[in-house]
Amino acid sequence: MSSFPESSTPGQANASFLQALGLKPVNAGVSTGLQWQEGGGELIHSYSPADGKLIGSVKTATRADYDAVMETAAQAFKVWRVMPAPKRGEIVRQFGEKLRQYKADLGKLVSYEMGKSLQEGLGEVQEMIDICDFAVGLSRQLYGLTIHSERARHRMYEQWHPLGIVGIITSFNFPVAVWSWNTAIAWVCGNVCVWKPSEKTPLSAVACQQIFAEVLRENNLPEGISCLVVGNYRVGEFLSTDERVPLVSATGSTRMGKIVGQTVAARLGRSLLELGGNNAIIVTPNADLKLTVIGAVFGAVGTCGQRCTTTRRLIIHESIYETVKQRLAEAYGQLKIGNPLDAGNHVGPLIDQDAVNMYLRAIDEAKQSGAKMVVEGGVLQGEGFQSGCYVKPCIIEAQEQYAVVKRETFAPILYLLKYSTLEEAIALQNDVPQGLSSAIMTTNLREAELFLSHEGSDCGIANVNIGTSGAEIGGAFGGEKETGGGRESGSDSWKAYMRRQTNTINYGSDLPLAQGIVFNL
């Protein structure tokens, strides 16, 4: 058992940062970059999970609103695609500078609307800045290959062209960063973007669109390069079924991703899917336990367990199991839970009451399966917790066969599992439907290399002596199996936003045919 210390009360939200971002009590939720349409759909309300207070409301899009946006985006693409890539990169650079200017206000809004800690909110905006910097450099490196032809005086090469309109569907847990991962890269590749944000965090999306609009105006660029369509799942259906959208990038649950993937595939479109994770850290007898505890605790409770890269399973060698369990319980006892705008707190609230109920059901199922509580969970009540969304991060001793352990629960629940051999630990880690992030804590070179080999982790991300969360934008981000197989952000992920074309040029006076075929006329 572990008790949690008292924390501060959220109190009255300061509205100054909302005003600085151009937000009003009721915002339009349909934008083509320069023009805002009120939207003919329903009014959705954004309540902060920090204190339960209404932040603002947004008018959502109808099908007619959506079609109008798509027409504007299609016209903008004709202009944007002919602008040289480095000049498109310059526009992205300016957007990154605007984000630096608005970092404090946007970060605070992200924290207040989503519920993540202020440092995480600021960190999310920093990720946006970082991907803009990355994309600026990329705008001068959209390279192809030169290929030797089997025919004399012929040259073959490949080049890459923009796709057109890229649809982006994002989740509430990273309400702005994941959009930027997609859009900054898509922009420098010559695409225009239509964004459907989570209806749980619409104001953060409206604010981003306001910020980019300043860049459009200052450069006399047409509207339609960046579009926003706020709405529920039906807007996602519009994008998924629309043949005008060659690529749909969707971040969210595996259930959602399967629907999007199947729908887009039915029209032979492309989808880039970033879905669920059930991430594990293997702790060997050769682990540095100080690093292990820091990595495991941050991975498990950061964003209140609402990251796709959250550490959900800790697979510990039997010889150090009790020691690690005790140190984790002690660390959990030092966690401060409360107002995410208070930099002294480690853990904020879950996003809403549905998330709280999911958290409680998972704990109950684990107990019914025979699991033992190391650190008890529960909903926090009383002063400072009136929103009903604050929960205790918990630790549960479990068995690998429990069904609840193999599912992703978007909440701060950490399952402890015991192993005897490293091969057994790797098998345990891989024996879940998801394959996003993974880590091993060890100072033994052989253990680390086995974990990173083709016999080791089956995840898209595999780390040594760091946790499962906190990916850098320089590397490709994504996972395998039910995580969807998509790759965003760094490395050569830009190729997902372009179409490849192979070209052959004959600069001779004859026309030799491939494979030596003779065709006499």
Side-chain angles (χ1 to χ4, degrees), residues 64-285:
D65 297 326
Y66 169 84
D67 285 331
V69 165
M70 295 302 293
E71 179 59 33
T72 304
Q75 294 304 314
F77 174 58
K78 296 177 182 178
V79 177
W80 186 244
R81 67 182 176 183
V82 298
M83 181 183 290
K87 293 188 179 299
R88 296 193 296 260
E90 167 59 17
I91 300 304
V92 174
R93 186 196 68 78
Q94 293 180 34
F95 182 50
E97 289 303 309
K98 292 289 184 184
L99 291 171
R100 287 177 170 88
Q101 176 184 340
Y102 289 107
K103 179 178 176 179
D105 293 320
L106 183 57
K108 191 178 291 186
L109 173 60
V110 167
S111 175
Y112 189 54
E113 186 174 37
M114 186 269 149
K116 61 176 58 178
S117 72
L118 179 58
Q119 285 304 309
E120 289 182 282
L122 295 171
E124 183 165 347
V125 181
Q126 186 62 49
E127 283 194 41
M128 301 177 75
I129 295 168
D130 292 344
I131 197 65
C132 285
D133 289 350
F134 180 89
V136 172
L138 179 64
S139 68
R140 296 181 181 271
Q141 301 180 66
L142 300 174
Y143 51 83
L145 298 174
T146 298
I147 306 160
H148 288 277
S149 173
E150 65 184 39
R151 293 168 286 186
R153 295 187 174 177
H154 282 59
R155 180 167 67 89
M156 294 176 63
Y157 71 97
E158 67 177 27
Q159 59 179 330
W160 297 80
H161 297 295
L163 292 171
I165 300 173
V166 173
I168 303 171
I169 301 171
T170 58
S171 182
F172 72 87
N173 60 326
F174 280 87
V176 295
V178 172
W179 167 73
S180 70
W181 290 359
N182 284 272
T183 201
I185 303 298
W187 279 337
V188 297
C189 290
N191 303 292
V192 298
C193 300
V194 177
W195 181 16
K196 186 265 177 216
S198 169
E199 60 269 34
K200 296 182 179 182
T201 51
L203 291 174
S204 295
V206 172
C208 288
Q209 191 76 350
Q210 295 271 46
I211 294 169
F212 187 68
E214 293 185 16
V215 179
L216 292 178
R217 292 189 188 96
E218 291 168 4
N219 290 273
N220 296 314
L221 289 170
E223 58 182 345
I225 295 170
S226 177
C227 300
L228 178 70
V229 188
V230 176
N232 59 19
Y233 70 94
R234 295 198 180 279
V235 175
E237 290 179 350
F238 297 161
L239 286 169
S240 299
T241 57
D242 195 338
E243 294 185 355
R244 296 170 292 185
V245 184
L247 172 65
V248 176
S249 175
T251 302
S253 68
T254 296
R255 175 183 173 278
M256 178 277 292
K258 287 181 177 180
I259 295 171
V260 171
Q262 291 171 12
T263 304
V264 174
R267 60 177 175 85
L268 298 182
R270 299 191 202 176
S271 57
L272 194 166
L273 303 176
E274 295 289 355
L275 311 176
N278 192 348
N279 316 293
I281 297 177
I282 296 173
V283 186
T284 81

Side-chain angles (χ1 to χ4, degrees), residues 286-341:
N286 298 298
D288 181 323
L289 293 189
K290 178 181 177 181
L291 296 183
T292 297
V293 172
I294 294 172
V297 173
F298 174 74
V301 309
T303 322
C304 200
Q306 296 170 112
R307 293 184 178 214
C308 53
T309 55
T310 291
T311 304
R312 309 206 180 277
R313 297 174 295 143
L314 209 58
I315 304 171
I316 310 167
H317 190 267
E318 57 190 8
S319 66
I320 57 171
Y321 181 85
E322 292 299 327
T323 299
V324 173
K325 182 175 72 172
Q326 179 181 351
R327 291 200 183 185
L328 285 170
E330 292 170 354
Y332 269 50
Q334 300 173 45
L335 293 175
K336 294 183 180 180
I337 308 168
N339 176 13
L341 297 182

Side-chain angles (χ1 to χ4, degrees), residues 362-497:
I363 294 175
D364 184 64
E365 181 180 344
K367 289 180 176 179
Q368 293 295 325
S369 300
K372 298 178 181 179
M373 303 299 296
V374 178
V375 176
E376 284 285 351
V379 180
L380 292 168
Q381 298 176 338
E383 185 179 356
F385 307 118
Q386 291 92 333
S387 69
C389 296
Y390 290 90
V391 301
K392 300 178 183 178
C394 66
I395 302 176
I396 302 176
E397 288 189 275
Q399 300 293 327
E400 63 270 16
Q401 67 268 23
Y402 296 168
V404 69
V405 174
K406 296 189 178 184
R407 291 199 310 270
E408 179 187 45
T409 301
F410 232 48
I413 302 174
L414 179 63
Y415 299 108
L416 304 187
L417 304 169
K418 191 182 298 184
Y419 79 92
S420 299
T421 67
L422 183 55
E423 288 77 10
E424 177 191 353
I426 292 172
L428 279 175
Q429 181 209 270
N430 294 344
D431 189 26
V432 292
Q434 310 85 357
L436 178 52
S437 188
S438 59
I440 189 170
M441 294 293 183
T442 181
T443 56
N444 183 290
L445 177 64
R446 290 179 175 176
E447 291 177 338
E449 289 295 337
L450 179 63
F451 177 75
L452 299 176
S453 75
H454 61 273
E455 301 175 71
S457 171
D458 65 359
C459 296
I461 299 170
N463 299 325
V464 177
N465 292 329
I466 64 171
T468 59
S469 60
E472 297 183 35
I473 60 94
F477 180 88
E480 302 301 321
K481 301 188 293 188
E482 287 194 356
T483 302
R487 292 297 186 275
E488 295 172 336
S489 191
S491 186
D492 64 349
S493 299
W494 61 270
K495 293 180 179 179
Y497 304 90

